[in-house]
Amino acid sequence: MKISGMTCGHCVSSVSKELKEIANVQDVEIILDAKGISTALLKTSGTIEEEALRAAVEEAGYTLESVSN
């Protein structure tokens, strides 16, 4: 996933926390790009709807730019 608006470790923590609350998300790794678009890598145990991902990222205060499998 590509996420915009993240600039620091607190941002990473907030987004990770929200994403881990989604059913089937086992682990989250975020590669922070404080001046651009950060990347979130998810380890999952099943299918997750894009809308659930978008809602979690927005709940943390950021913007989901894209999702790829």
Side-chain angles (χ1 to χ4, degrees):
M1 300 180 351
K2 299 297 184 180
I3 302 170
S4 63
M6 299 173 61
T7 60
C8 64
H10 177 72
C11 301
V12 170
S13 180
S14 295
V15 172
S16 294
K17 178 180 177 282
E18 292 295 333
L19 289 172
K20 286 178 182 177
E21 291 180 4
I22 299 172
N24 293 334
V25 173
Q26 296 177 318
D27 194 29
V28 177
E29 178 186 353
I30 296 180
I31 302 163
L32 179 65
D33 181 347
K35 296 181 181 178
I37 306 292
S38 298
T39 301
L41 305 171
L42 305 181
K43 180 178 179 185
T44 64
S45 61
T47 303
I48 300 171
E49 295 294 325
E50 183 174 334
E51 190 52 42
L53 298 172
R54 184 173 308 285
V57 170
E58 288 177 358
E59 178 68 25
Y62 306 97
T63 304
L64 179 63
E65 298 293 341
S66 65
V67 175
S68 60
N69 295 332

